[in-house]
Amino acid sequence: MFMAVICLLCLVGCTPQKEVKKTLTVLSWNVWHGGHSKTYPGKGCEGTIGILKKSNADVILMVETYGAAPMVADSLGYGYHLISDNLCIYSRYPILEKYAFPDSISTFNFGGVKIDMDGTPVRIFDTWLHYLPDMRLTPTDKSEEEILAWEREGTRDDEIGKILSVLRPMLAEADSIPVIMGGDFNVHSHLDWTEATKDLYNHGGAVVRWPVSVAMEEAGFKDSFREINPDPAQKLGVTWLTDADSLETERRMDRIDFIYYQGKTIQAMESECYDNSLGKTFSFKGEDFFYPSDHGFVLSKFEIE
């Protein structure tokens, strides 16, 4: 009997154990001047924190942090890394390393952390690309070549090139340490401006391979929202509603906030873009909140081996 038990234990010990997969929920949000703009000082703070709590995100990529970091982190009970006045990353999990590349790209634009998900490391980066040229003014009556020339008058192409350059060593390790990169890219995606959508969303008949999203794709990144929602004609994923009155142009719905990722051990399971309701009541997961920002947010859930 004793030998039989020993043999059984040996068999169990030799049986390959199935990898336990973990989930990581990431939220990316430009909260508009720290969520406490002078327009909505008290209600804005309450709305920002209430929405973040309700999201139950494990990691939050914040843009336009401007003084909100300690209050938000304390309210959530999370650790945080304040990359710059603009960018902050909050994490339910311990932060092992902090990344900045000031010799190549400003911390106002980019920075990141490595977290420890109960023994699983993940690298996560927060991003803000310049807001000019203003996407609300996209000259949709022009040819694609002319639209791209207009886009390249700004600095976003240069910024994303520098970011991808400093990330190159980490992307080479992405199959063992997954990489997530989100934020406010202030520019459209080529995955949204397609033949199927050229006559929708006030795209004016334009089909455009926007350089920033193309560069991300060519660098091996997947757009978590568009992967889960592959048909932009059915679901654009609005994160920014333009103010038509201020620009005397047609109101256009845009997706300019993203959560990208790459690595063999990570897979997007869910992703949703939540439209902004600036200054209005926002119903989220069965509860109403005051919405303080001019941007919607992206919420993506990943499975990680």
Side-chain angles (χ1 to χ4, degrees):
M1 179 66 179
F2 177 75
M3 290 303 296
V5 171
I6 294 296
C7 290
L8 180 60
L9 290 173
C10 288
L11 285 172
V12 171
C14 294
T15 302
Q17 299 299 301
K18 192 173 182 180
E19 279 286 339
V20 176
K21 294 184 178 180
K22 304 171 184 177
T23 61
L24 182 72
T25 300
V26 180
L27 183 148
S28 177
W29 193 14
N30 181 327
V31 295
W32 195 40
H33 295 290
H36 53 73
S37 163
K38 62 183 179 180
T39 310
Y40 311 113
K43 292 188 293 183
C45 292
E46 294 171 9
T48 301
I49 291 171
I51 291 167
L52 292 176
K53 283 183 176 179
K54 194 69 176 182
S55 75
N56 203 33
D58 300 303
V59 173
I60 296 159
L61 308 178
M62 184 176 283
V63 180
E64 293 199 30
T65 304
Y66 301 134
M71 176 182 60
V72 171
D74 184 62
S75 298
L76 297 173
Y78 284 12
Y80 72 97
H81 172 40
L82 186 62
I83 299 164
S84 62
D85 287 348
N86 187 30
L87 302 177
C88 187
I89 299 177
Y90 306 85
S91 175
R92 185 193 307 276
Y93 296 102
I95 293 173
L96 300 179
E97 294 181 30
K98 300 173 182 178
Y99 303 115
F101 313 92
D103 292 339
S104 300
I105 185 73
S106 169
T107 54
F108 196 84
N109 296 102
F110 191 69
V113 298
K114 180 163 74 174
I115 65 169
D116 175 13
M117 283 182 63
D118 301 322
T120 301
V122 183
R123 288 179 171 130
I124 304 175
F125 295 90
D126 199 5
T127 314
W128 179 84
L129 303 185
H130 204 282
Y131 68 94
L132 295 176
D134 192 325
M135 285 291 101
R136 294 173 293 182
L137 300 177
T138 301
T140 55
D141 58 327
K142 305 294 185 181
S143 68
E144 182 182 18
E145 290 75 14
E146 290 171 311
I147 292 173
L148 292 176
W150 171 84
E151 161 63 10
R152 291 191 175 102
E153 290 174 0
T155 59
R156 287 186 286 258
D157 291 357
D158 182 57
E159 289 162 3
I160 202 65
K162 289 176 178 177
I163 288 168
L164 292 174
S165 178
V166 299
L167 282 183
R168 194 169 292 123
M170 298 181 194
L171 297 183
E173 299 175 343
D175 286 344
S176 56
I177 304 178
V179 175
I180 297 172
M181 177 177 160
D184 174 9
F185 287 65
N186 270 311
V187 68
H188 308 305
S189 169
H190 71 290
L191 300 177
D192 299 344
W193 285 60
T194 65
E195 282 289 336
T197 62
K198 66 180 182 181
D199 297 318
L200 302 173
Y201 314 121
N202 290 319
H203 285 186
V207 177
V208 185
R209 283 184 58 78
W210 294 101
V212 168
S213 58
V214 168
M216 290 295 289
E217 185 175 83
E218 290 178 346
F221 280 99
K222 296 178 183 178
D223 177 337
S224 61
F225 175 80
R226 189 53 68 214
E227 182 181 19
I228 299 299
N229 305 277
D231 186 353
Q234 292 298 317
K235 194 167 187 177
L236 180 63
V238 178
T239 64
W240 197 43
L241 286 172
T242 62
D243 182 354
D245 295 336
S246 67
L247 290 165
E248 297 181 355
T249 186
E250 287 187 272
R251 185 178 177 85
R252 185 173 59 243
M253 297 182 290
D254 294 320
R255 185 170 74 106
I256 62 173
D257 303 85
F258 305 89
I259 298 177
Y260 291 98
Y261 77 99
Q262 67 171 280
K264 284 185 178 179
T265 61
I266 183 172
Q267 178 60 53
M269 305 302 293
E270 302 172 14
S271 186
E272 185 61 70
C273 289
Y274 291 88
D275 196 348
N276 79 72
S277 305
L278 178 59
K280 298 177 182 178
T281 298
F282 173 67
S283 295
F284 181 48
K285 296 188 175 183
E287 193 170 345
D288 291 341
F289 301 93
F290 178 82
Y291 201 90
S293 179
D294 59 342
H295 280 251
F297 60 89
V298 189
L299 189 63
S300 294
K301 183 176 182 179
F302 300 96
E303 192 173 70
I304 301 176
E305 294 179 6

